[in-house]
Amino acid sequence: MSPISMLLIGFAMSTDAFAAAVGKGAAMRKPRFADALRAGLIFGVIEGITPVIGWLLGRAASSYVEAFDHWIAFVLLGALGVHMIINGVRPDKEAADEDPGRHHGFWHLAVTGFATSIDAMAVGVGLAFLDVHIGVMAAVIGLCTLVMVTGGIMLGRVLGQLVGKRAEIIGGVILIIVGSAILYEHLSGAVG
């Protein structure tokens, strides 16, 4: 997998965390950089671990699905992309109910980080069938998430929920494009 594709996947995996961070930043009274960095580290570590778990699960099943692994990657990335687009378009009722002074402790951030990283675990399953170094991919996803969440919290009060939702839509489109590129590369290689 090319470095550009890896970076695009890292960006796409971090957009849902970015959307959550923008919401958290909007809910915080005046987020400090240290608070934003702490949240970015929590989200980044969790988002970096989950694709490794998915990759391990995928590797265990790889010998059974080698003939159609590119289709699995295409379907998983495409489905996750569509899911992210739908979440980006759907109105977010949770933000209106949230108390601005709550939900910024370690455990709440960790649970939110895990919830936004489920898609990264599914991507890890798909990556098990491709020629990619999972350690490098996990580090890219974790670092992209660290940067996106830290920036999202700092920008949250200024930008509000609208930008966060658009970022999730863009991330979904990127996943669909990467999945389609994987399928195209495999099918064009099989023909040529």
Side-chain angles (χ1 to χ4, degrees):
M1 180 175 289
S2 74
I4 299 282
S5 293
M6 292 176 80
L7 191 59
L8 286 174
I9 288 175
F11 170 73
M13 291 294 87
S14 65
T15 55
D16 53 350
F18 175 76
V22 169
K24 293 241 176 259
M28 292 178 168
R29 301 220 183 272
K30 286 189 180 180
R32 297 175 310 171
F33 181 74
D35 296 330
L37 184 59
R38 177 177 164 263
L41 285 169
I42 292 168
F43 274 68
V45 167
I46 292 169
E47 195 91 20
I49 290 171
T50 54
V52 175
I53 294 169
W55 182 82
L56 291 170
L57 293 171
R59 292 302 277 184
S62 67
S63 63
Y64 302 107
V65 293
E66 221 171 289
F68 49 93
D69 56 2
H70 53 285
W71 285 103
I72 292 172
F74 170 72
V75 169
L76 281 174
L77 291 172
L80 289 169
V82 168
H83 177 72
M84 287 174 72
I85 291 169
I86 290 169
N87 283 342
V89 173
R90 187 178 2 184
D92 190 10
K93 66 179 181 179
E94 179 184 310
D97 299 336
E98 191 170 309
D99 176 11
R102 294 179 43 207
H103 304 304
H104 309 298
F106 173 80
W107 289 110
H108 190 269
L109 288 173
V111 168
T112 305
F114 182 73
T116 62
S117 70
I118 297 299
D119 55 349
M121 188 180 304
V123 166
V125 171
L127 292 174
F129 306 112
L130 304 174
D131 183 25
V132 63
H133 189 286
I134 192 61
V136 172
M137 189 71 245
V140 168
I141 291 172
L143 288 173
C144 285
T145 303
L146 165 69
V147 170
M148 294 287 282
V149 168
T150 302
I153 287 177
M154 295 307 293
L155 295 174
R157 286 186 52 94
V158 176
L159 301 178
Q161 291 282 18
L162 184 60
V163 173
K165 288 293 190 179
R166 286 186 181 162
E168 195 163 8
I169 293 168
I170 292 168
V173 170
I174 289 171
L175 282 183
I176 292 169
I177 291 170
V178 170
S180 299
I182 289 169
L183 182 63
Y184 174 78
E185 286 175 15
H186 184 83
L187 293 178
S188 66
V191 172

